[in-house]
Amino acid sequence: MLSELILKDQQLGYDYTENFAKVYRYLLINSKKKLISLREELKFLDAYLFLINNRMGGGSIFKVNIDRSKLDLLIPPVTLQLFIENAMKYNRTEEEDPLIIDIYSNDDDELVVSNTLLPLIKKPDSTGIGLKKYHRSLCFIR
């Protein structure tokens, strides 16, 4: 995939490689930590969403609306990636009817991740221990 991308568009290939490196670096540095600031998690998310958008095309839309006052609050690392992967695993991603994933903070010091429901025609194999709802929230740690 990457070699094809570089042949088609060198700048996009460079940007994809840079964001892939950011994601990988974040995982190496932070995967053993118990908590990380939301600010750092959102930097990681930005690089991760770049990869997703370029891999999946216009089949998904990500809306991130986090109040600035929440950026220093703490969450477990890679939390947002897991929520997004879950939504994408169990829903269709089509350009004509994109999967919309909203990530926002609320006044109760919660981080909310919700998505539209576009169920797959054939359900993927599952262990049955994942997230069941389309709307999930996570409390911050001060």
Side-chain angles (χ1 to χ4, degrees), residues 15-16 18-19 29-30 42 55 64 69 100 113 118 142:
D15 293 341
Y16 193 92
E18 285 294 306
N19 281 285
I29 293 170
N30 297 306
L42 289 172
R55 193 179 99 220
V64 180
S69 68
I100 299 171
V113 181
L118 303 170
R142 290 189 181 271

Side-chain angles (χ1 to χ4, degrees), residues 126-137:
S126 175
T127 60
I129 60 171
L131 305 168
K132 295 191 185 316
K133 290 185 169 186
Y134 68 95
H135 180 90
R136 295 154 301 273
S137 64

